[in-house]
């Protein structure tokens, strides 16, 4: 049940106030959105349709592509609408819904990247036991678990934020509804909400990050001490390189946004960083995986030949 509040809608004032730039930015971000959906959609399609890619690694890659499509869809369409509109309004319920799905998909992706790192650890360090450990049942259970945890983590934020009183300004200096900008507009006590953001979100974000680093640390140590062939070492490290690049692109801006103190942030910095992890990263993920992955490139070429 939402609290009674005098604010029934918010104005998203992120982006630029320069009218001349807005049509240009609309075209740029529309192209980015199209490439994001097309690129991740192509990966999702070939992972489902190509039997050669029916393995744990590509099962999780398909989950990542699905997340990236949804992640961009949460923020970009509304941003595109606001570039062409003078009344950049979003309803109270729409704002809370956007906040919920943004944190739902973001936290799920953080955990998925840790699961993908664990999959690479088992594949490289325990190759003989890999089919037994990473069986279909376990992969499905891990995927369902991280999606469920992400949903309830976001539900916690959306419920707690919706119960705040917003009785003053309704101007959000951001291009989408997020917890931090909304807390700045709240009239009442926000200590509990701030504590949840600092503890729950930081824990849910940093724990997968450290698990990812731990997995790669074990992989590197194992390769240097157990592998005596330079070609095998290079091949194994190359397999992990794509995933590690995605991890860095995702975590660097997220950590900078949610871990640093609010007093050290500015609205312009927050918007630039938010664009990095909500717009740029999803569009780069399919490019990184297709450019560095022979199996995905092979599957794409087979699909292209069949469609011609």
């Amino acid at each position: 049940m939402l609290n009674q509040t005098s604010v029934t809608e918010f104005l998203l004032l992120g982006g630029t106030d320069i009218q001349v730039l807005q049509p240009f930015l609309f075209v740029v971000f529309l192209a980015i959105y199209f490439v994001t959906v097309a690129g991740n959609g192509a990966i999702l399609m070939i992972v489902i349709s190509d039997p050669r890619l029916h393995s744990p690694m590509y099962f999780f890659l398909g989950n990542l592509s699905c997340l990236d499509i949804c992640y961009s869809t949460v923020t970009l369409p509304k941003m595109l609408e606001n570039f062409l509109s003078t009344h950049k309004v979003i309803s109270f319920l729409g704002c809370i819904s956007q906040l919920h799905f943004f944190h739902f998909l973001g936290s799920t992706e953080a955990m998925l990247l840790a699961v993908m790192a664990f999959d690479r650890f088992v594949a490289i360090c325990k190759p003989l036991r890999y089919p037994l450990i990473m069986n279909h049942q376990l992969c499905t259970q891990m995927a369902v678990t991280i999606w469920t945890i992400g949903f309830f983590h976001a539900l916690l934020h959306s419920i707690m934020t919706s119960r705040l009183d917003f009785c003053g300004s309704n101007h959000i200096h951001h291009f989408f509804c997020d917890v931090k900008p909304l807390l700045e507009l709240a009239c009442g006590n926000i200590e509990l909400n701030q504590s949840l953001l600092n503890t729950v979100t930081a824990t849910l974000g940093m724990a997968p990050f450290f698990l990812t680093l731990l997995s790669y640390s074990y992989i590197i140590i194992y390769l240097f001490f157990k592998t005596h062939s330079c070609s095998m070492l290079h091949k194994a490290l190359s397999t992990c390189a794509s995933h590690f690049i995605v991890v860095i692109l995702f975590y660097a801006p997220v950590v900078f946004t949610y871990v640093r103190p609010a007093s050290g942030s500015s609205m312009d910095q927050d918007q630039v960083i938010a664009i990095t992890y909500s717009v740029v990263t999803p569009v780069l993920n399919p490019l990184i995986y297709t450019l560095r992955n022979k199996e995905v490139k092979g599957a794409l070429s087979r699909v292209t030949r069949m469609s011609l």
Side-chain angles (χ1 to χ4, degrees):
M1 182 69 68
L2 301 180
N3 268 9
Q4 292 294 323
T5 176
S6 59
V7 173
T8 59
E9 62 184 26
F10 294 99
L11 296 179
L12 296 172
L13 303 180
T16 178
D17 295 328
I18 304 174
Q19 296 291 330
V20 180
L21 284 178
Q22 293 187 1
F24 170 74
L25 292 175
F26 174 83
V27 173
V28 170
F29 283 101
L30 180 62
I32 290 174
Y33 183 56
F34 176 78
V35 174
T36 300
V37 174
N40 285 288
I43 290 180
L44 190 58
M45 179 189 68
I46 63 171
V47 166
I48 294 173
S49 61
D50 196 326
R52 304 177 202 186
L53 301 183
H54 289 177
S55 65
M57 176 181 175
Y58 296 107
F59 169 74
F60 294 125
L61 178 57
N63 274 262
L64 180 64
S65 295
C66 181
L67 276 170
D68 282 338
I69 292 172
C70 298
Y71 200 42
S72 296
T73 303
V74 169
T75 57
L76 270 175
K78 188 62 180 176
M79 186 198 300
L80 292 171
E81 178 189 334
N82 288 340
F83 280 137
L84 301 180
S85 173
T86 55
H87 192 49
K88 307 174 190 299
V89 67
I90 184 170
S91 68
F92 184 85
L93 182 59
C95 187
I96 297 299
S97 299
Q98 189 180 56
L99 179 154
H100 171 79
F101 283 102
F102 182 79
H103 280 269
F104 165 37
L105 298 166
S107 57
T108 302
E109 181 160 342
M111 291 181 284
L112 178 63
L113 292 173
V115 170
M116 293 174 74
F118 174 74
D119 171 69
R120 291 300 84 207
F121 161 72
V122 178
I124 294 172
C125 301
K126 301 181 183 296
L128 298 178
R129 298 182 61 192
Y130 180 73
L132 181 63
I133 297 174
M134 299 300 293
N135 57 70
H136 177 72
Q137 182 180 1
L138 178 63
C139 292
T140 304
Q141 288 175 346
M142 287 195 293
V144 171
T145 299
I146 60 177
W147 280 83
T148 303
I149 293 174
F151 178 84
F152 283 104
H153 161 252
L155 189 63
L156 177 66
H157 279 303
S158 57
I159 290 175
M160 292 301 297
T161 306
S162 68
R163 294 177 63 85
L164 292 172
D165 291 320
F166 298 94
C167 53
S169 172
N170 66 341
H171 293 182
I172 299 176
H173 294 277
H174 213 307
F175 61 90
F176 67 93
C177 290
D178 198 3
V179 176
K180 288 180 70 175
L182 285 173
L183 291 183
E184 293 174 3
L185 301 181
C187 299
N189 192 326
I190 63 169
E191 288 184 4
L192 179 58
N193 299 73
Q194 192 67 55
S195 177
L196 286 173
L197 185 65
N198 293 338
T199 56
V200 178
T201 302
T203 301
L204 202 59
M206 296 311 296
F209 178 65
F210 285 120
L211 287 174
T212 302
L213 290 182
L214 185 63
S215 296
Y216 280 111
S217 298
Y218 272 113
I219 289 172
I220 293 171
I221 293 170
Y222 175 85
L223 289 173
F224 275 107
F225 285 97
K226 297 291 184 179
T227 305
H228 302 289
S229 169
C230 292
S231 60
M232 289 180 63
L233 178 63
H234 180 267
K235 182 179 179 181
L237 290 175
S238 180
T239 304
C240 300
S242 299
H243 180 245
F244 193 69
I245 293 171
V246 171
V247 169
I248 297 301
L249 287 173
F250 178 81
Y251 273 106
V254 170
V255 169
F256 192 73
T257 299
Y258 292 103
V259 174
R260 63 179 176 156
S263 59
S265 64
S266 71
M267 294 174 185
D268 291 337
Q269 282 181 336
D270 287 343
Q271 289 185 60
V272 172
I273 295 166
I275 287 174
T276 302
Y277 63 77
S278 65
V279 178
V280 177
T281 302
V283 77
L284 288 180
N285 285 353
L287 296 176
I288 291 169
Y289 278 108
T290 53
L291 290 175
R292 297 188 59 88
N293 192 295
K294 293 181 180 180
E295 288 81 4
V296 173
K297 286 192 290 187
L300 279 172
S301 63
R302 287 193 294 272
V303 170
T304 303
R305 287 196 300 269
M306 290 176 61
S307 62
L308 295 177

